[in-house]
Every structure is written in C-alpha cells, then in structure tokens.
C-alpha cells in the first residue's frame, strides 16, 4: 500500500509531496517499528532532542 502511494506521489509532480515521500522513505523502518511495537528510538524522534 505504501509503495503504491510512493508511485502516485512521483507521478503527481507536486514537489512538497515528493519531499514528504523521501522523508517517509528515509524513516521507513522507524515508522514500521513504531506501529509494530509502539516503540520509538530517541535518535529518530525530534521531540526527544533537547
């Protein structure tokens, strides 16, 4: 499902969506980890940086 979203975003040509798509791709494993385990890695969580 996420892969088809990437393809649609790339085909859309809308720059802000392409930026969002790259961000999601770069953080894919952390996102999956959160939904699978409800766990976060402080390194990946900007709200934990202070």
């Amino acid at each position: 499902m996420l892969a088809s979203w990437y393809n649609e975003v790339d085909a859309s040509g809308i720059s802000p969506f392409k930026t969002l798509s790259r961000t999601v791709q770069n953080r894919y494993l952390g996102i999956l980890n959160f939904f699978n385990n409800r766990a976060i890695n402080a390194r990946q969580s900007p709200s934990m940086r202070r």
Side-chain angles (χ1 to χ4, degrees):
M1 186 168 164
L2 193 55
S4 65
W5 179 80
Y6 292 142
N7 293 335
E8 289 180 36
V9 167
D10 286 339
S12 75
I14 301 172
S15 293
F17 285 129
K18 286 185 176 187
T19 301
L20 174 63
S21 173
R22 280 192 307 272
T23 300
V24 171
Q25 286 175 333
N26 290 336
R27 301 188 180 275
Y28 183 75
L29 293 177
I31 292 168
L32 287 181
N33 186 45
F34 173 77
F35 284 103
N36 288 333
N37 304 312
R38 297 291 188 220
I40 62 170
N41 180 341
R43 184 178 66 94
Q44 294 177 333
S45 178
S47 64
M48 300 290 283
R49 294 181 195 156
R50 290 188 186 201

